[in-house]
Amino acid sequence: MDLTPQQAMRAAVAVPGVPRDEDGPVFREPWEARAFAMALALHEAGVFTWKEWAETLGEQIKRAQAEGDPDTGETYYRHWLATLEALVAAKGVTTSDVLHRYRDAWDHAADRTPHGAPIELRAEDFGK
Amino acid sequence: MSDHDHDHHGHHHHHDHEHSELSETELRVRALESILTEKGYVDPAALDLLIDLYEKKIGPRNGVRVVAKAWSDPAYRERLMKDATAAIAELDYSGRQGEHMVVVENTPEQHNMVVCTLCSCYPHPVLGLPPVWYKSAPYRSRAVSDPRGVLRDFAVTLPDITKIRVWDSTAEIRYLVLPMRPEGTEGWSEQQLAELVTRDSMIGTGLPKQPSEAA
């Protein structure tokens, strides 16, 4: 289950556009690194190949550009996240309904958590 | 004389942050992670382990550019001190919405150090991911009660006349320390100066490298 820098480097090379330096991928914010690492974990679990990933991501970016995305690199990981959501649904790992339900539950969890305390998901966060 | 000025800033947490907030993007990332963890595709500990490897390189590069530019361009330095959010945006780092950046400048009289006593608020757009110690309880509490001791742990000794001021970050205000430009760097280019800027020097737990230590 371990994720290694070598795997990360291979991913950064296999997928076009991943911001990287000589050692591997570089990120601007923590969530970008998490989104990257989740794709890596799914890839290592055999859910998709990097070729499939790159194609889906490419389509995602093309669509966004058609809708006016400035394509400055700032938005790269937003497309990455959208690709994750699309592929896990397409591969039957989960559904977009479940994704929405969890998103709302996290929103609820954040709302009841005092600033500074770790935000944790509880059963009560899932509304009816 | 107080070694630091903490209470003045600490109250932001209580008045402005009764509860937590996650951005839309963070909500989606967490939703995915919960589902993938439940289904056994993702091990959060493995994610953390990998991400820790990148924390050092993730982003101080942006902050490094800000500091090097402030050292070499007095007009930029002035804009940075007046309105850090705008001056940083000039270099194309769009921060997350709602985050207000404040730059605090080290002088021979005052050394600045940044902490988030309640959690780990951190200026991500300029410094990337926070180091593990920044999030640790000992740093968060001791930065306030014993800043000079913390600096000693980081092998930083300041002259006695230098006052230490600790700035407590909040979800809305993020601080970046502008270290003093090392002596002996007259005529250096922005690129050369950038070599001297360390991540810790921008948090205030370190000093910039000396010209002799430059690569």
Side-chain angles (χ1 to χ4, degrees):
Chain A
M1 273 300 261
D2 278 358
L3 300 169
T4 66
Q6 289 75 22
Q7 292 167 342
M9 186 56 168
R10 277 200 296 277
V13 173
V15 181
V18 174
R20 64 181 164 111
D21 62 15
E22 63 277 12
D23 301 321
V26 293
F27 306 96
R28 296 181 318 126
E29 292 191 42
W31 73 263
E32 295 185 345
R34 288 202 100 68
F36 175 87
M38 281 195 277
L40 192 60
L42 287 168
H43 174 267
E44 298 309 313
V47 175
F48 46 72
T49 63
W50 285 131
K51 188 167 171 289
E52 274 179 286
W53 174 267
E55 280 167 11
T56 315
L57 177 63
E59 286 160 21
Q60 180 65 40
I61 291 174
K62 238 182 265 162
R63 246 198 323 275
Q65 281 170 349
E67 287 164 14
D69 183 87
D71 191 29
T72 54
E74 302 273 312
T75 52
Y76 183 80
Y77 273 100
R78 264 187 258 160
H79 304 315
W80 185 279
L81 177 58
T83 302
L84 262 179
E85 292 168 336
L87 267 182
V88 292
K91 295 286 180 181
V93 172
T94 185
T95 66
S96 69
D97 278 355
V98 175
L99 281 167
H100 279 123
R101 222 157 50 79
Y102 273 74
R103 180 240 167 256
D104 291 346
W106 272 110
D107 201 16
H108 185 269
D111 215 42
R112 63 162 170 77
T113 306
H115 178 72
I119 307 172
E120 280 161 5
L121 208 52
R122 291 194 208 133
E124 70 195 57
D125 296 315
F126 291 90
K128 289 281 158 352
Chain B
M1 185 173 66
S2 158
D3 224 12
H4 57 81
D5 179 1
H6 172 254
D7 292 341
H8 178 64
H9 299 278
H11 68 227
H12 285 292
H13 282 299
H14 306 295
H15 292 319
D16 301 339
H17 301 290
E18 300 299 330
H19 61 86
S20 306
E21 257 179 67
L22 295 171
S23 72
E24 183 56 34
T25 302
E26 283 168 338
L27 289 172
R28 286 164 57 197
V29 170
R30 286 193 186 225
L32 262 168
E33 190 176 333
S34 311
I35 295 168
L36 295 178
T37 303
E38 278 176 27
K39 304 227 172 226
Y41 285 103
V42 155
D43 171 6
L47 287 197
D48 286 340
L49 214 59
L50 182 73
I51 290 165
D52 277 353
L53 292 178
Y54 294 110
E55 77 180 21
K56 277 219 170 99
K57 42 189 293 215
I58 276 175
R61 294 174 306 153
N62 295 347
V64 165
R65 236 183 102 201
V66 169
V67 169
K69 194 168 172 61
W71 280 349
S72 53
D73 178 349
Y76 182 76
R77 188 180 144 276
E78 198 173 310
R79 292 200 295 282
L80 184 68
M81 297 311 297
K82 210 181 277 170
D83 181 353
T85 313
I88 289 167
E90 276 179 42
L91 302 183
D92 290 337
Y93 312 131
S94 63
R96 271 186 294 185
Q97 297 228 324
E99 268 179 25
H100 184 63
M101 288 290 309
V102 170
V103 169
V104 288
E105 187 178 22
N106 286 350
T107 63
E109 293 77 35
Q110 178 170 307
H111 179 89
N112 298 287
M113 205 165 124
V114 180
V115 68
C116 179
T117 49
L118 282 183
C119 45
S120 52
C121 295
Y122 192 72
H124 299 299
V126 281
L127 292 188
L129 297 193
V132 172
W133 54 259
Y134 185 85
K135 298 179 274 186
S136 73
Y139 176 73
R140 283 158 40 197
S141 55
R142 272 190 71 218
V144 174
S145 62
D146 180 20
R148 223 171 264 274
V150 169
L151 285 178
R152 238 187 339 264
D153 292 348
F154 280 92
V156 175
T157 320
L158 296 172
D160 287 340
I161 57 145
T162 307
K163 205 170 69 127
I164 301 172
R165 181 154 177 185
V166 178
W167 302 81
D168 195 357
S169 309
T170 69
E172 269 114 30
I173 303 186
R174 306 293 165 97
Y175 299 98
L176 181 75
V177 175
L178 176 57
M180 284 190 285
R181 178 171 169 167
E183 284 177 26
T185 57
E186 292 74 21
W188 282 36
S189 70
E190 202 178 307
Q191 278 78 10
Q192 286 174 300
L193 288 170
E195 296 288 321
L196 303 178
V197 185
T198 62
R199 179 195 64 198
D200 289 1
S201 74
M202 294 181 281
I203 304 176
T205 53
L207 300 175
K209 287 188 236 171
Q210 290 303 306
S212 56
E213 300 170 85

